[in-house]
Amino acid sequence: MVSRKIRVGMIGYQFMGKAHSHAYRDLSFYFEHGIEPVLQAIAGRNEEKVKKAAKQMGWLSYETDWRKLIERDDIHLIDIVTPNNTHAEIAIAAAEAGKHVLCEKPLALTVEQAERMYEAVTKNKVIHMITHNYRFAPAVQYAKKLIRDGRLGEIRHIRATYLQDWMMDPNFPLVWRLRKEVTGTGTLGDIGAHSIDLARFLVGEIDEVIGTMKTFVKKRPTGEMSGGLSAKIEGDQLADVDVDDTAAFLAHFENGALGVFEATRYAGGNRNGNRFEINGSKGSLRWDMEKMNLLEVYFEDDEPGLQGFRTIHCTEEHHPYAGAYWPAGHGIGYEHTFINLLSCFMDGIEKGESPSPNFKDGLINQRILEAVVESTETRSWVKIPN
Ligand code: SOE
């Protein structure tokens, strides 16, 4: 197959930068496309650090000003892996320069920003996606297939929890993910957004929500991330935490299903507990990111006496994306969800269509996040605007 090269410019290079870089580099190991990404350049403000990151992750060049990256003629796609408060400005500039855009979640700080971002990518006819990577676990894709094929019947419940514990220590510093002006909401937008995306993907659109949010630790030492989910204290001041540590909400779906959602960073022992259980009139299924290759499935019409959840190892050619990797039983990991997402993005660029989850999904997700905040403030159900 003759490939057209698509030259990527990535802005940011930390945790998500590493996940995305790895995915661009490994994509052609597993998937064949008419489009082949080239790691053309990355951008970051600190020259020493960005240069080191470019070398380590295999980027051909670097810039210290993201605007220069967007201006470059040899860049066709802008990948945004910077903190949330920068997404809108960068994505809009990229779209106006005619570049395709991949953006980390949540799409923006506010619905207003997300609307402008969606308008920019549609007006400029560029291909866009948001990195809700968990949709691309083969087990989640297979869950979607079972639901789409009617194997679960009418969907009645989704119980989605995203439980983490990386900043339970009250001395864990006030990193950007804990500062409203940089992150928007706290746990809700950071991990609750993933549960919302999975629920929309698997169950359907949410009609209204009622929620509550809580901040357990109200002051923290100042500091910044130092790689992955570790951080360093900088200075000797304590500063106010102005975002949620935990958020919980109920949701009514347009198809009549009821959703129960919980996102927290205070669930000790749960390192990345992104989980859901879905119950329908004919069956149920369960997934847990910490055992991401497994899907538990229950069917009502199984023979009495043999009924119960069965565990499927989603590593076979029948399971979307899994066949591109190893023989059955040889599982894949977190990083492969990003490779699968990129494969979908490359298909989209080839076909000239923005695959889901795209900026429209990001905008709807943002409306749901904002509705949960509003409902927490007003202590009432809030409709999701169309
Ligand atoms: C931190 O909570 C975090 O890195 C999120 O920002 C990611 O989106 C999630 O996938 C893992 O946890």
Side-chain angles (χ1 to χ4, degrees), residues 15-16 104-105 133-134 162 164 166 177 190-191 194 229 265 272 334:
F15 179 16
M16 282 308 116
E104 260 303 325
K105 41 52 58 179
N133 57 305
Y134 297 110
Y162 203 144
Q164 293 187 335
W166 54 272
R177 286 176 206 271
D190 187 35
I191 51 179
H194 280 306
L229 290 177
R265 293 170 175 148
N272 198 28
Y334 170 70

Side-chain angles (χ1 to χ4, degrees), residues 13 25 45 58 94 107 121 129 207 237 284 321 341 369 375:
Y13 50 81
R25 289 188 70 165
R45 279 172 301 189
L107 192 59
V121 288
M129 266 186 101
D207 178 38
Q237 301 292 312
S284 300
Y321 297 104
L341 184 145
L369 298 175
S375 116

Side-chain angles (χ1 to χ4, degrees), residues 120-133:
V121 288
T122 44
K123 195 176 83 199
N124 291 288
K125 299 189 173 55
V126 296
I127 306 302
H128 47 97
M129 266 186 101
I130 177 168
T131 326
H132 279 298
N133 57 305

